[in-house]
Amino acid sequence: MPAPRVLSGIQPTADSFHLGNHLGALRQWVSMQADHEAFYCVVDLHAITVEQDPAVLRRRTLVSAAQLLALGVDPDRSALFVQSHVPEHAQLGWVLQCLTGFGEASRMTQFKDKSARQGQASTSVGLFTYPVLQAADILLYQAARVPVGEDQRQHLELTRDLATRFNGRYGDTFVLPEAYIPPGAAKVLDLQQPDKKMSKSLPEAGCVNLLDDPKVIGKRIRSAVTDTGREVVFDPEGKPGVSNLLTLHSAFSGETVSQLEERFAGRGYGDLKKELAEVVVTALAPVQARTTELLADTAELERVLAAGAARAREVAAPTLATVHERIGF
Ligand code: ADP
Ligand code: NA
């Protein structure tokens, strides 16, 4: 049996990915390569649904790709590319927009949240149709699996609905993608507000970025909000802060949470934070060094991305050609 095909994308909307992106998504991108045919893209079309500065967007696209390579995405094995380099995304996106009901798109909760936050005047139509473009990203590659967090489930359902609708109207064309929860994905909480997910949208003190200076990483981890009491025990309900630190430690050190509880018994939160800071800094050092190296030769990085886009188009172009033919173009 051929390896199942998987598609995933990430927005180039920050100068560095953070520990949540890494442990909740990107680490799985790397491990899934072992038993999947993977298509991974930096989704710059999605990034412009909110206002972007061109120079910043260009830089972040390259920095994002460099980090993905540094983390272990292997361009000889997986197609790593930039979404705008494969024009079929926008083209299939348009076709699917014409199959999407206005009411159906209006029900997307992520759009409702985002547009409410930014106000109607600065909300673009692109933000509204974002989930339809996401459907195009997936369906172009006939992906059998899409790794999704809870917040993306509704978008995957829309993707399946659109695929089913197209197939029903025009004949079997698209593979229906399944949600895939890759093993080992961890949800990382904000270090200052451990009732929330770590996010680039929260104040930076609660966030550790992969490319942060080791001093900054150490400081942020040592200043993490912990819980009342002194005992290092894993109790996500009662002690979300400490439990988050244990999750992080375990993810990077490979020690199990119970081994850590045992080793830190009677030692207090301070010791845990100090050691965790060292563990994270040590784990990120090679990723940082490799990212810097890759960014020192942007011509080579662009060559890798161009090869990835060519590989992606080998699959995307025939899918789009079939779609166009079936709808009467
Ligand atoms: P942010 O919340 O910082 O804006 P994104 O929404 O761009 O991050 O998320 C990119 C990817 O990283 C998604 O797959 C998302 O599920 C994952 N992710 C983001 N934050 C976390 C987190 N705190 N814990 C686990 N996974 C996360
Ligand atoms: Na987000």
Side-chain angles (χ1 to χ4, degrees):
M1 256 201 7
R5 205 174 262 173
V6 70
L7 176 287
S8 197
I10 191 145
Q11 290 197 62
T13 43
D15 285 319
S16 171
F17 294 128
H18 56 67
L19 293 184
N21 303 140
H22 176 35
L23 301 180
L26 304 179
R27 201 165 59 152
Q28 288 71 46
W29 284 25
V30 175
S31 59
M32 281 186 297
Q33 297 179 112
D35 48 6
H36 290 80
E37 182 190 3
F39 291 79
Y40 295 137
C41 59
V42 177
V43 292
D44 54 350
L45 298 183
H46 288 281
I48 63 163
T49 55
V50 296
E51 205 175 321
Q52 294 286 324
D53 175 83
V56 172
L57 178 60
R58 199 168 286 121
R59 180 183 76 229
R60 287 177 171 176
T61 298
L62 284 180
V63 173
S64 298
Q67 286 171 93
L68 294 171
L69 292 166
L71 287 168
V73 169
D74 176 359
D76 291 328
R77 184 172 252 209
S78 308
L80 175 67
F81 61 100
V82 177
Q83 188 186 26
S84 65
H85 297 176
V86 181
E88 287 81 359
H89 287 256
Q91 290 175 281
L92 181 61
W94 177 255
V95 172
L96 296 180
Q97 281 181 56
C98 297
L99 278 187
T100 308
F102 184 81
E104 187 175 34
S106 307
R107 284 194 293 275
M108 296 296 120
T109 57
Q110 199 175 77
F111 171 76
K112 288 196 265 188
D113 294 347
K114 275 197 187 173
S115 57
R117 251 181 282 138
Q118 58 189 50
Q120 199 176 41
S122 49
T123 294
S124 70
V125 174
L127 188 70
F128 182 60
T129 59
Y130 183 119
V132 183
L133 180 59
Q134 208 176 335
D137 299 340
I138 297 164
L139 298 178
L140 262 184
Y141 299 97
Q142 308 287 6
R145 292 177 170 180
V146 184
V148 283
E150 272 317 309
D151 52 337
Q152 291 298 320
R153 283 202 172 267
Q154 196 186 27
H155 292 176
L156 186 65
E157 273 317 303
L158 176 69
T159 303
R160 290 172 57 88
D161 289 345
L162 291 173
T164 304
R165 193 169 306 155
F166 191 99
N167 289 349
R169 223 174 265 185
Y170 303 106
D172 241 356
T173 306
F174 294 121
V175 168
L176 245 60
E178 306 277 351
Y180 178 60
I181 313 283
K187 181 172 162 186
V188 179
L189 304 178
D190 187 85
L191 297 176
Q192 289 299 314
Q193 304 176 66
D195 57 329
K196 300 192 170 78
K197 275 197 341 176
M198 181 176 284
S199 170
K200 60 179 173 281
S201 325
L202 293 174
E204 62 181 13
C207 188
V208 170
N209 295 305
L210 304 189
L211 303 181
D212 279 343
D213 188 90
K215 285 204 187 73
V216 173
I217 297 175
K219 186 158 171 267
R220 292 206 183 141
I221 292 176
R222 286 191 305 271
S223 321
V225 166
T226 32
D227 315 282
T228 52
R230 315 192 48 250
E231 257 174 277
V232 176
V233 287
F234 188 76
D235 169 12
E237 293 285 310
K239 290 178 173 246
V242 172
S243 302
N244 189 41
L245 300 181
L246 286 168
T247 300
L248 286 171
H249 194 309
S250 174
F252 282 106
S253 67
E255 278 185 79
T256 65
V257 166
S258 33
Q259 284 168 335
L260 291 167
E261 284 175 327
E262 211 169 293
R263 208 155 58 66
F264 283 97
R267 285 170 62 192
Y269 300 154
D271 273 9
L272 172 64
K273 291 183 194 175
K274 190 159 166 280
E275 189 179 294
L276 175 62
E278 284 163 21
V279 164
V280 173
V281 166
T282 305
L284 293 183
V287 177
Q288 297 190 345
R290 184 70 187 128
T291 302
T292 305
E293 211 172 78
L294 287 159
L295 290 171
D297 186 358
T298 50
E300 169 61 13
L301 185 54
E302 278 161 1
R303 196 198 56 75
V304 169
L305 293 172
R311 167 81 192 98
R313 291 193 83 179
E314 283 171 20
V315 178
T319 305
L320 184 73
T322 304
V323 166
H324 279 183
E325 196 269 318
R326 296 218 163 139
I327 57 181
F329 286 178

